[in-house]
Amino acid sequence: MSAELATAAGHDASHVDHGDHGHLSAENNFLGLPNIKLAMWAFLGSECMFFGSLIGTYFFYHGKSLAGKLPTEVFSITITSISTFLLLMSSMTMALAVDATRLKRLSSARAYILATAALGATFVGFQVYEFSEFVHEGLTLSTSLFGSTFFVMTGFHGAHVTVGVIWLTMLSIMISNGKLNKERSPITVESAGLYWHFVDIVWIVIFTFVYLLEFIK
Amino acid sequence: MSYRLLTLSALRNRLARQPRGAQQPNLAQHPAGKAALSLLKVVASAGLPLLLLWLAGCSNEPAPRDTHSPVSDNGEISSFFYSLLLYLDAAILAIVVAVWAYALVKFKKQAGDDTLPEQSHGNMKLEVIWTAIPTLIVVAITVPMLVGVFQMSKRHDPNQPVVEVDVTGKQWWWEFDYKSGSAAGLHTANELHLPVGTAVTLHMTSADVIHAWWVPRLGGKRDANPGRTYPMSFTAKTPGIYDGQCAELCGSSHALMGTKLIVHPLAGELEVDYKGQKVKLETYETWVREQQAPAKPPVAELEKGLKLFKERTCPSCHLIQGLEGTDIAARSATSGPNLTHVGSRMGIAANTLLNNPENLAKWISKPSAVKPGSKMPDGLVTPEDAKAIAAFLSSLK
Amino acid sequence: MASVADFAQAQAPVYHQERPAKSGLVDWLTTVDHKKIGILYGSAGLFWLLIGGLEALLFRLQLAKPDQDLFIGTQYNGLVTMHATTMVFLAVMPMIAGFSNYFVPLMIGARDVAFPRLNAFSWYTFLFGSLVINASVVFAHFPAGGWTGYAPLSTRAYGNDGMDFWWAGLVLLAISSMVAGVNFVVTILNMRAPGMTLMRVPVLAWMMLVIQFLLAFSFPPVAVGLIFLAFDRTFGSVFYEAAMGGDPHLWQHLFWLFGHPEVYVLILPSMGIVSEVLPVFARRPLFGQHAVIFSGVFIGFVGFGVWGHHMFTAGMGPIADAVFAATTAVIAIPTGVKIFNWLGTLWGGKLTFPVPMLFAISFIPMFTIGGLSGVMHANAPLDLQQHDSYFVVAHFHYVLVGGALQGLFSGIYFYFPKMTGKMMSEGLGKAHFWLFLIGMNLTFWPMHDLGNRGMPRRIYTYPADAGWNFDNLLGTAGVFFMAAGTLLMVYNIFNSMKNGKDSGRDPWDANTLEWMTDSPPPAHNFDFTPVVFSERPLFDHKHSEDLAIPVPHEAEQIHMPSYSWKPLVVASGALLVIIGLLLFHVAPMLWLISVAGALTVVVGIYQWVTEPV
């Protein structure tokens, strides 16, 4: 009787899933998504509000600076296009890494992960160069509203890329020393991938609306 | 009525077509509003005891800053909505409390009765009813509210005489700059003088942090934001003297950032009651003429005060127009109140103390003892010097 | 008929655990058990409730009579700021987190939360955040910019040094809440017992689900606002600098985009507790359970679109005022639906009135008063008078004290037996209830009148002739009643832990899963995983043969998570990062503290993910 009712409710009482943290509950993926993935999506939703507020503030203050350089006077579309391209490429290598873990080819997964981290680190390097150029040209945090909003917004994006690079480096170390096995690797690497793609998408939004739109008049 | 009425901008345009003025009835005087109010009063009588408690408050002290004895068109609108919602709330509260109290008494478990009551999980019909009724009430109060929002923010008819004043909040006092009419160019502090029955627009801004100028009997408040200017338009309807103060936390002496609104008659002197005292109000134009006059040189026995005033660097912040060596203060974010006619004000230190020589001396000899954090430094003058300066300043009527 | 005694027949499960649990202090430092973390949160919440109350008592003394000088200027502003910051972030929120931690997994039939170590991390970041904010009084001064921290009063040019501790502590609290939000969203959505469909999830767990979404999505905007403030104060950026074109409205938008959902974070759990307590003591189901759940969800959604009603006097313009006023008015509808359904639950029941029920029934009219004065504030033309006046103070105290706090008190008396296995004293509880109810109304009712008489909030003194003397005196008197009641409760808690009567599994003859297990529950919560057939699984187990929860004969094999030091390590790293930033303006070299903190975080996380659990 009870099993019948439970099945009628859409859940087989005897089924116990032992995925990530499956030991904690008889039914750890009521929604059919592993906990870690659901958590990642919820976290990224929260991150949307975070970057939404940063980018929103940039536009709230756009054109309201009373002093200092204008965006068009400091932006270099060529250089930023190159770094944007590199970051986009890193999304591709990230996708390849996730694919490799599904095929249980951990060493090639590690190679793709390291490539992704390297591309991300290069992007951060470009950003450091860009920031120092801007400061050289007289745009700092304290120069104007543009300076404050621009540096804090892109700086926090850069910090997110840096966190991603550290995360990916950790994953490659874990593959090397066997802490990440073939069973656990797809979900673990995929979660990192979700984060990485999200950070990329945020950059595409920033590059399009903050950089490119500046030059369309 | 066309569906265009439903859009907010259409609503605003429709309302803006009729510029506001003293002769036009506002929402509070509209017959429909009055009818709704009387109907609600009848319904609310169920909750009369609670209502009386609410209305009467708990004491019989006088309430010189009563928010519901309005003296302007804006205040009337606020007050109208207060009455409307007070009766509505009282009626709802009366019903809820009645049902609640009845249920608590009636459905109390009897001793020895261990049977279960009927296990009802709900009633769809009831759910629909008690969702629909609040929805209707919300719509019924929201529509006039939207009218009120636009009515209160409506700008004055430019063809009518308008008094425009720039209001600047400063830690912790108010600066008033008259911009139009006979008073244009007048520069005073803390006590805002306005003519009765005339359209007024205040342009609110701040020199430091956010303040809010609030004279409860006049009507609503408006924030004074640094770096931004926002208008507040109204017409004062009753001559009198009304107290107010800053309503937005603005630092250590936020509690002591008072202000006064003095609404003058247009013609003829008028005796008004201010906190139980009879005070004579001159006409607005007379007041303007007096304030525009330069300060008179002091009589001989007060000259020492003027000399000390200059010696103790007071003029670097405070302006006295018409006396030699006292009009050097540049208007700036940090300058203090204009003292040209300081003797004519009712209060000092932003309406914190009564204006008399003793209080003035107390204030200038140790400002921080009156107002914590005051920008006027301590120790500039000795208590002896302060008396002389106070005597001189008090003479600046 | 089946009964709860059936569950005592079940065999304890067989543990698979990497490392056996520690004992004593080390156990409390390293625990990942949601029940212990819940107790830690709850105890911290109670502690800060007493501190926040003491702060209120002190400034009410200053306001008892006109022209006093006990606490003046920034001292007073500091007390007011800390009272509100403490009550909102350090008292009510952790008490909610305590209930959420302890009871959500039990209510949904889970063995723990989705990420037990992340849960411990949330607790530590909360603890460190609360300590950082209060450390201001030791190392500097209490922050004095108001709990709303309006820029530019909170910037370095106008705000005192305490505001540095304020932003630093709040950033830690924001991290804690966002992480906990994600953790509990996953827990409630994914870890339910077999058969527990969303519509069978208890209302309290539902309200917790709503607020965890609100926490996860509403904290980021204020985190951004705090980051701007921190950068302005520390690194010379100009976000809130009017002279550079900065707009004072920016902070207000970011703050209230968080601040208004936050209000619902504070009240929805208490609505959930009331929705659990009323049916138990009325002996019938919650009337219109689905309507109550949906109205809670609706309040959560609309709560993101009403923040502008805190800014009617700020000068947003009539269009924005009108939109925010209208959306705010809409909130009245689901709130009304909830109140009517609670009345519907009482109607036709067989009511008994132990202490949890007393708080739950008094919640209804007290919250209704707060809700109705809220309808007044939604009316923008009227709010221009009431904004920043004592009328608003009266309003939110009826909602947060009469509503949120009374709901939490009800929860404490209701759930204490489950957490300790002991009953609390009814007599002391009733004394607490009456003292508190009288004190609350004595303090907050006259504040409506004060607002009508034109008294602005946050003023430390007032003239004797403004007509505010009597109401203020009453307000101060009431605080002593509330304080006495609350102290009685604290005594009752400690005394009952030692001397209380044994409660057994199900002292209230209740409805939901948490009452089927032992009091206090074992580390693994349930000896066997319950199967759920209805909204009231335990009630139906006791009253219906068909819906009895089957008790298996064999012991279950379960894997229990092991204790871990890593959450403490990583949270300490985060604390160091914040301390370095906080001290940067004192001496730039101190940023090395932040570097050390960041390294601790990275190493800690690596050990975290690689340690066997």
Side-chain angles (χ1 to χ4, degrees), chain B residues 165-207:
Chain B
V165 185
D166 285 354
V167 177
T168 309
K170 290 183 168 183
Q171 282 180 330
W172 289 272
W173 60 284
W174 299 95
E175 192 163 53
F176 301 115
D177 287 286
Y178 288 73
K179 290 293 171 188
S180 68
S182 56
L186 201 59
H187 166 215
T188 69
N190 295 328
E191 293 172 12
L192 179 64
H193 294 254
L194 294 173
V196 72
T198 311
V200 176
T201 298
L202 305 181
H203 301 278
M204 317 291 299
T205 191
S206 163

Side-chain angles (χ1 to χ4, degrees), chain C residues 278-347:
Chain C
L278 290 180
V280 169
F281 299 110
R283 313 295 308 132
R284 64 200 295 263
L286 182 64
F287 200 80
Q289 173 151 352
H290 294 189
V292 173
I293 291 171
F294 284 128
S295 54
V297 175
F298 185 77
I299 289 173
F301 268 110
V302 182
F304 274 101
V306 302
W307 79 88
H309 68 222
H310 296 270
M311 299 170 63
F312 286 146
T313 66
M316 292 185 298
I319 303 262
D321 286 354
V323 170
F324 282 120
T327 52
T328 306
V330 169
I331 298 264
I333 301 166
T335 313
V337 167
K338 276 182 186 276
I339 291 170
F340 299 140
N341 277 301
W342 291 325
L343 292 178
T345 308
L346 295 176
W347 197 271

